[in-house]
Amino acid sequence: MPPPCQRCAATRLINLDTAQRIGVFSGCVVGSAIGVLRATATTPSLSLATARFPLAKLPAAMIGAVTGGQSGVRVTSSLFAQWLPAGTGTPWLCLACGHTFRQSDPPLTAAH
């Protein structure tokens, strides 16, 4: 359950740690797809014998996917680095007013 916003007391909040994980994964997937499309679209024309074999473009597609995925991760990580507030604790984003804040984590209880 998210805490209320520190600025407007709204309860519609997003945990930015979870949003960052989802965003980085999505950036990797989208970047990989774009890399594959670019790599296979710009491959020079192949001879007639290899053009019928669809796996001939596989190395270019794999390289495009890896580089595109890395680019997607870098871009998404840099965007979230700008949004995350400084400090320790769980970062939250209020959907009502756009305020970002961190709620300190509760201390761990001693094991008995």
Side-chain angles (χ1 to χ4, degrees):
M1 178 98 177
C5 178
Q6 296 175 350
R7 183 185 292 168
C8 69
T11 56
R12 296 181 313 174
L13 299 164
I14 292 177
N15 182 333
L16 285 177
D17 281 337
T18 304
Q20 181 178 16
R21 289 185 188 117
I22 293 169
V24 167
F25 175 75
S26 301
C28 181
V29 170
V30 169
S32 296
I34 291 171
V36 167
L37 289 174
R38 285 186 178 171
T40 57
T42 59
T43 303
S45 62
L46 302 171
S47 69
L48 183 60
T50 58
R52 292 184 185 163
F53 189 58
L55 293 179
K57 293 185 179 183
L58 186 62
M62 291 299 292
I63 292 170
V66 169
T67 56
Q70 290 172 348
S71 298
V73 167
R74 270 188 251 121
V75 167
T76 310
S77 296
S78 67
L79 286 174
F80 272 99
Q82 295 173 7
W83 288 348
L84 291 175
T88 60
T90 306
W92 294 94
L93 169 66
C94 178
L95 296 176
C97 68
H99 177 63
T100 58
F101 63 97
R102 286 191 182 264
Q103 180 185 22
S104 60
D105 296 326
L108 298 174
T109 58
H112 294 280

